């Protein structure tokens, strides 16, 4: 049984072209995941944190805050 393996320039360039196409798909996949994780989610999380902070800041009592400051000042004097 004889094996005839032909490697011509045409075949080599065809395989290189296929490998480059596959490498581009892999690169696009990693680029998409990177932008989704570090760009999109960061923007969405920052907006959610700002909304939660603005809601919780409205519920604070100024009188209670002033009492805490007075207690801290009294402890620092003594």
């Amino acid at each position: 049984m004889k094996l005839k393996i032909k490697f011509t320039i045409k075949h080599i360039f065809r395989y290189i072209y296929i490998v480059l196409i596959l490498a581009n798909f892999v690169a696009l996949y990693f680029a998409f995941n990177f932008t989704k994780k570090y760009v999109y989610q960061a923007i969405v999380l920052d907006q959610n944190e700002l909304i939660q902070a603005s809601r919780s800041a409205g519920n604070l009592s100024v009188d209670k805050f002033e009492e805490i400051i007075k207690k801290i000042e009294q402890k620092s004097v003594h």
Side-chain angles (χ1 to χ4, degrees):
M1 183 175 189
K2 260 186 169 177
L3 280 175
K4 288 187 177 182
I5 300 175
K6 282 187 173 182
F7 283 112
T8 62
I9 299 293
K10 185 177 180 181
H11 287 115
I12 291 173
F13 281 115
R14 183 180 297 161
Y15 293 131
I16 290 173
Y17 185 69
I18 291 171
V19 168
L20 287 175
I21 290 173
L22 293 175
N24 282 326
F25 282 123
V26 171
L28 284 173
Y29 173 76
F30 283 118
F32 176 75
N33 282 340
F34 177 81
T35 55
K36 181 180 174 188
K37 184 176 182 181
Y38 292 108
V39 177
Y40 176 72
Q41 287 182 354
I43 292 170
V44 171
L45 290 177
D46 288 344
Q47 288 176 350
N48 290 338
E49 289 176 5
L50 287 174
I51 291 170
Q52 289 176 354
S54 65
R55 287 182 186 163
S56 64
N59 297 335
L60 290 177
S61 172
V62 176
D63 296 330
K64 180 121 176 140
F65 183 69
E66 288 177 356
E67 289 177 22
I68 293 171
I69 292 175
K70 286 179 185 178
K71 288 180 183 178
I72 292 172
E73 286 176 351
Q74 287 175 357
K75 286 184 180 181
S76 65
V77 171
H78 294 282

